[in-house]
Amino acid sequence: MTQETENDYLDIPGARKEVVDTAVGKVAYITAGSGPPVLLLHGLGTTSETWGTTIRTLAKTRRVVAPDLWGHGDSGGSRRLRKIEPLVEAIEALCDTLGVDATAVVGHSLGGLVAIRFALAHKDRVTKLALVDAGGIGREMSWLLRLASIPVVGWLVFSPAVLVVKLYGWRVFNPPADVNISLLRSLHRSRMTHISADAVRKAVRSSAERLGPAPESFLLPRLHEIEVPVIVYWGEQDRLFPVSQLHGITEACPQVQIHLFPDVGHWPYAEIPELFNTLLGDFLDNSPR
């Protein structure tokens, strides 16, 4: 069964929000455009809506699919987030349902961790990989995420209280970032619910520990297994995953390209959307397949 909204979702020409029943359950996604497919995976505690400006840009030449990750937004699965695998399985199931056999994949933060795991598990389905301040690359992470991995404490760190939401927002962006107001409203809306907060806490505990990433979520030693073109975008002022995460990445993954943004925090595609979307479009269109 498929449910869908009217076209021009988020005022993007031809975009629509759909919810499909897959082999693992309900998955919601935004889709727009036609051409070679690209999959956009959002970060922790947000939704596909945060990709709005990127969808608008890429949909001019590509078929864009931006799902709500398992346990986020309108997708199901919040009770299964004790490990990362269900998030990867949900992406696989969505691609199967939509008939997407091979696609470029772009992942931000938690979505980057999922993107790496998906690329490792399904090497024949990923044509290019773009990682944006992604989890899974390094061992260093914010104290906020490490605290959130602790039972009980995590309930306080990721509660839907206004003060906590504002604190998280301050750590995500590099002040004074000029962030689109509609994106901020979407972020606050997704964070200000107990359901989303619970999904966030479970996702953090599945990938982080008090001293850093969980062993199964430290994927730097396996990046050499990815043979398709890989690019990494990173904000040098990222407070959640510091840029030092990238130490050793070129040795682990020789074909990787790295692009650093000097005055940007954890969310480049929100803080500098025009530059980010131009660079991403160039990578998708011009790099070898």
Side-chain angles (χ1 to χ4, degrees):
M1 179 182 296
T2 300
Q3 302 172 348
E4 64 178 70
T5 64
E6 297 180 357
N7 285 349
D8 299 341
Y9 188 73
L10 300 180
D11 292 325
I12 300 171
R16 60 189 186 277
K17 181 77 175 282
E18 297 189 347
V19 182
V20 295
D21 291 324
T22 73
V24 299
K26 182 175 70 172
V27 179
Y29 65 98
I30 300 172
T31 185
S34 61
V38 58
L39 196 65
L40 305 179
L41 307 182
H42 64 79
L44 181 71
T46 67
T47 71
S48 55
E49 288 188 8
T50 61
W51 288 110
T53 60
T54 303
I55 295 171
R56 181 186 299 275
T57 299
L58 296 184
K60 296 174 184 177
T61 58
R62 309 185 76 88
R63 177 190 181 189
V64 182
V65 177
D68 290 343
L69 289 180
W70 208 228
H72 292 68
D74 295 317
S75 291
S78 62
R79 295 182 180 181
R80 296 187 60 206
L81 292 184
R82 306 208 179 267
K83 294 185 178 181
I84 290 296
E85 282 78 5
L87 286 88
V88 180
E89 292 169 1
I91 298 303
E92 177 187 9
L94 177 63
C95 289
D96 290 342
T97 301
L98 300 182
V100 176
D101 297 323
T103 180
V105 181
V106 183
H108 171 240
S109 196
L110 173 65
L113 173 60
V114 175
I116 297 171
R117 292 286 290 266
F118 183 77
L120 290 170
H122 304 285
K123 297 185 175 84
D124 59 332
R125 303 190 78 160
V126 177
T127 59
K128 299 175 185 177
L129 181 63
L131 304 173
V132 188
D133 292 74
I137 293 177
R139 294 190 181 278
E140 297 180 48
M141 61 173 56
S142 167
W143 59 266
L144 190 67
L145 294 177
R146 295 199 302 270
L147 281 178
S149 70
I150 304 173
V152 180
V153 177
W155 284 89
L156 299 175
V157 173
F158 277 103
S159 75
V162 173
L163 181 60
V164 173
V165 172
K166 288 184 177 180
L167 173 63
Y168 182 80
W170 178 81
R171 295 196 66 80
V172 165
F173 302 113
N174 181 45
D178 184 17
V179 179
N180 185 287
I181 188 64
S182 63
L183 185 146
L184 289 175
R185 288 171 177 165
S186 174
L187 173 63
H188 282 216
R189 192 164 55 247
S190 66
R191 303 288 299 203
M192 291 293 289
T193 65
H194 288 279
I195 294 175
S196 177
D198 183 53
V200 168
R201 288 186 288 262
K202 289 178 179 178
V204 169
R205 288 200 298 271
S206 72
S207 58
E209 297 177 347
R210 281 173 286 181
L211 300 179
E216 61 271 21
S217 295
F218 179 57
L219 300 176
L220 183 64
R222 295 194 61 194
L223 287 185
H224 70 277
E225 300 176 29
I226 300 174
E227 299 178 351
V228 299
V230 179
I231 194 165
V232 173
Y233 300 104
W234 216 277
E236 290 188 358
Q237 305 305 316
D238 191 334
R239 298 181 185 87
L240 294 182
F241 295 139
V243 70
S244 56
Q245 293 264 10
L246 300 183
H247 290 163
I249 191 171
T250 52
E251 289 80 5
C253 188
Q255 79 278 27
V256 70
Q257 303 175 49
I258 297 176
H259 192 100
L260 303 180
F261 301 108
D263 299 314
V264 175
H266 182 64
W267 211 333
Y269 72 86
E271 296 183 52
I272 47 169
E274 291 186 9
L275 175 59
F276 175 85
N277 293 336
T278 297
L279 293 173
L280 177 60
D282 289 344
F283 169 73
L284 295 175
D285 292 339
N286 301 323
S287 65
R289 294 184 178 275

